Amino acid sequence: MQKKHLLIGLITCIVLNSYPQGQLSHALGREKILMDFGWRFTFGYASDFSKDFYHRTSDFTHFAKAGYGDGAAAPNFDDRAWREVDLPHDWAAELPFNKEASHTHGYRTVGWQYPETSVGWYRKRFNIPQEDFGRKISIQLEGAFRDASVWVNGFYLGTEPSGYASTSYDLTDYLNYGNENVIAVRVDASIEEGWYYEGAGIYRHVWLNKTNRLHVAEHGTFITSEITDNHADLTIRTTLQNQYDKEQQFKLVNVVYNQANQKVAMVESNLNLRGNTVKTYFQKVRVDKPALWSLDNPNLYRVETIILQNEELVDNYNTTIGIRSVRFDPDAGFFMNGERVMVKGVNHHQDHAGVGVAVPDALMEFRIRKLKEMGCNAIRTSHHPPAPALLDICDRLGMLVLNENRLMGINQVHLDLLKRFMIRDRNHPSVFIWSLGNEEWRIEGNDIGAQITKTMQDFAHQIDSTRAFTVALSGGWDWGSGKSIQVIGYNYIFHGDIDEHHRKFPWQSGIGTEETNTIGTRGVYVDDRVNGRMAAIQHYADSMGTEYGWRFYLARPFLAGLFFWTGFDYHGEPHPLYWPQVNTQFGILDLCGFPKDIYYYLKSWWTNEPVLHIANHWNWPDEHRGKNISLPIYSNADEVELRLNRKSLGRKQMPRNGHLDFEVPFTPGSLEAYGYVNGKTTMKHKLVTTGKPAGLMLGSSKDIIAADRQDVAVLTVQVNDSKGNLVPNAMNEVALTISGPGRIIGVGNGDPASHDPEQYIESVEQVYPSVSLYRMESQFPSEEELESVLSSSGWANAFERGYGVYPEEGIALFKGTFNLNRLSTETVITFYAKSLAANQSLFVNGKLIGSEIKRDDPNQVFLLDHSILKEGVNDVVFAGIPFVKQTQWEEINTNPGTLKVYNPPLQWRCKVFNGLAQIIVRSTGEKGEIAIGAVADGLLPSRIKILAE
């Protein structure tokens, strides 16, 4: 991403060839800096201030006085003992499962029942150059789940309750220019916002934005197009912000570039804007012979907005757009660029195996490509605004997006969230319709719902009138929201009579916002519900399921199409089962993106590619010999023939938009399906009874990844027999190794009842010594003298009178303890000590580890040798000249410091499920060769190499 922004800056200088290059200046121009790396993280506590770093307990807090962030929000707070993390980060994905935890959130130990793991603190230090003084500088959080409060240098910036809203804060007046700054974020995931796995933490990108005081406002462009004949007229709305005191005169230039980065149009205006004012300017420009954005040809344009003063560049802001038209017709469905498009969509949750909701951008693209391979052309962002990167990917790959709001309502909190997400996303050509809400059962079937929906829709039309609006309704279609919404969203056919509703509301367009999919576990063909797995066969009545839903919508031209629930399995919401199932089984693909059988039904009728798939395996145990095995066959061939051990079992005609069923007595060997088109064999699918697991095979989605600390490769672990056939019921445990400039960030296998770790992370614990006693001595004790001093009488309660109030002569000894719960040979103990006295000496278990330490020396860092430590209680003594208060307001330090107890992560492992598992590998930022190895007992190992460049 950083390279991308640098490139755009260079392009700006190159393309403005009508202006003297030597006069262009970027000194006060725009910068967008990724802030994902080098954060410190630890748990706070949701219900005990003393365990939450005493945050909000000072005499003056950030609510009382500006700049008085306390506890972990204080700028001088020592966070060196915290764990180092990069963003995006989802701490819930690191937590274990518990049967008593939230069912809908996948039984992870997060939420109000677990106050010790439901608050996370993040801190990051960064420098701002002195030359940035005078610019406007802000921080942007794309998403943190949830209730995220933010401070910079102890100044409270604000709180965003929603886990799905992008939020920006102005840092300008709080910063130390030419010096270090610190941002602190407290995230509280105690309360659920949805009814599915939502993760916890800063799980999207963070950006630092720098601009001139005269600049394009955040998300400050909105570009629409009217296509007529062989050209497109663009209306460019540019919202500018003048944060100078005085009026500014400037030139506003908008340059349009095609996908080959060639300038195709330009418009400029000489303007002025009063001081401390925000104003939107309108400009029009024509693009001849536009390359339209479509599903098959997602042509993109870039509009560069430039502000010039005295021929110097003040600001440049880039907007990616696609020129296309979209409209809904109540009788004929959805049209794009004047042609009817059948929406073949899926609902899309934002989490993935191994990483939870902290999905890297490259993994988002992997998921969208998987859907496109199936023929899917649309996703619904159920049930909240998505990550901005996801929309960028959909723009680039040609995937429609039904973009959904999180919460319905008509007050400021509701409308502000709606406005912010629409303004952020309205330039994306992939967004073809907005959803105002989903299944609001209290209002969707009554007049209150109709009124709320109308108010929201009227409000939203002022923000974007180029797209239609919907609400996803699970009943009450003829009342409530269904009476006032522009495009009705039908959630599940069985909730009402769609044909009758269409007759009653002929003006209203319709789309299937949710429709049932054939649920089940990948590779499972016999129900095992006690163990959380379901046979991947049709569990519904004839009026439900994938095949029925597709045929229903296909037969009704007035419907725009449908979104199946769901594209991928997702963490949490493990209906219709309960523990031990922890992930849903609604997906067409499993949690890793491995296709289930139903994937091939949709691919048969959603693509023009040849498809032939037998929905089963041929590895049944001996007790199944001679028993009939159900074999659904998905294909778009004219006819399909099935052969068992080369003997034909018959040839059947494939019903259009349907499938074939064969019942075959199990006999070990080979099962072959042949697909015929126009009487000729054009495709083949073969199942064999495999041998025992013999070896591992690693494959990767990429051979090369970017050495940018962000890119990922998705690796598949496959268990094969001695002949190289996938063993479809293999469940081996695999140990993983990695070397080179890459690291594993998550593993998974698609098993909805797996309780195995998806991440193996280092253990970083903070241990806080407690100092309870003190005494005075005439001189510094030696190691030999210390033992007798500690065992003698005369110790008093430390800090009881208020340390530093009275001057005392001699040397003060402060006695305390700390407790080590675990001490292995790999444990690393670092003591970040603080000064309790001047010219301090420090003893641990009677051993001198530091002496003559200057007051408040930041380098009081001691790596403690195991030979002086023990599991359980350890003694610590500080000796030095006692501090004396210089004023009554001075606060003398009574904090002895923190011990960081580090244990390295266990070796990465994954358990293969039905022959497959997944490894996600991320670049560490360096160039070189990444080698990943997989070993399992009794199997031949596998090794693969990926290049980071």
Side-chain angles (χ1 to χ4, degrees), residues 479-540:
W479 306 277
S481 300
K483 291 167 57 178
S484 55
I485 194 65
Q486 187 177 1
V487 178
I488 187 167
Y490 299 111
N491 277 16
Y492 306 106
I493 296 166
F494 60 81
H495 277 136
D497 188 333
I498 290 178
D499 294 321
E500 180 61 23
H501 178 84
H502 181 58
R503 282 191 287 271
K504 289 182 178 179
F505 297 84
W507 55 269
Q508 189 178 56
S509 298
I511 192 168
T513 36
E514 283 183 34
E515 196 46 64
T516 51
N517 179 43
T518 302
I519 65 173
T521 308
R522 172 183 56 80
V524 171
Y525 301 97
V526 176
D527 265 357
D528 185 15
R529 298 191 176 208
V530 172
N531 291 311
R533 301 174 185 118
M534 300 170 64
I537 57 176
Q538 184 62 269
H539 291 275
Y540 297 125

Side-chain angles (χ1 to χ4, degrees), residues 7 184 285 380 742 793 918:
L7 177 62
V285 66
R380 174 186 175 215
S793 59
Q918 187 175 85

Side-chain angles (χ1 to χ4, degrees), residues 665-681:
F666 175 64
T667 302
S670 66
L671 192 68
E672 296 171 289
Y674 292 84
Y676 296 87
V677 176
N678 296 324
K680 295 181 180 179
T681 304

Side-chain angles (χ1 to χ4, degrees), residues 790-829:
L790 292 176
S791 60
S792 63
S793 59
W795 290 86
N797 291 332
F799 315 129
E800 189 175 61
R801 296 180 306 176
Y803 181 41
V805 174
Y806 305 108
E808 299 187 62
E809 294 184 358
I811 303 301
L813 272 64
F814 297 92
K815 177 183 177 182
T817 61
F818 60 86
N819 192 67
L820 296 178
N821 295 320
R822 180 175 60 156
L823 188 61
S824 74
T825 56
E826 294 184 311
T827 305
V828 178
I829 310 289

